[in-house]
């Protein structure tokens, strides 16, 4: 029973830390362009090895 005294606050802290990281990622624009990286690989760019 005394283990719960340590585990519950630790779980709440880790959950809040994860939520804070997710909110920070939203605020900094990490999820703004979800299709850009997926479509970028399909675009033929100039091949630098042929120069």
């Amino acid at each position: 029973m005394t283990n719960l005294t340590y585990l519950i606050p630790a779980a709440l802290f880790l959950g809040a830390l994860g939520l804070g990281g997710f909110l920070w990622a939203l605020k900094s624009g990490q999820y703004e362009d979800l299709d850009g990286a997926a479509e970028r690989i399909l675009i033929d760019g100039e091949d630098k090895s042929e120069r």
Side-chain angles (χ1 to χ4, degrees):
M1 194 65 165
T2 59
N3 290 337
L4 290 178
T5 332
Y6 299 114
L7 292 177
I8 291 176
L12 290 174
F13 174 73
L14 289 175
L17 190 66
L19 181 63
F22 175 70
L23 292 175
W24 172 80
L26 280 178
K27 185 179 177 183
S28 67
Q30 294 291 319
Y31 299 108
E32 297 264 333
D33 185 19
L34 294 177
D35 295 326
E39 293 175 358
R40 196 174 307 129
I41 195 149
L42 300 174
I43 299 172
D44 288 334
E46 183 180 331
D47 193 8
K48 295 180 181 177
S49 64
E50 293 180 357
R51 286 187 186 183

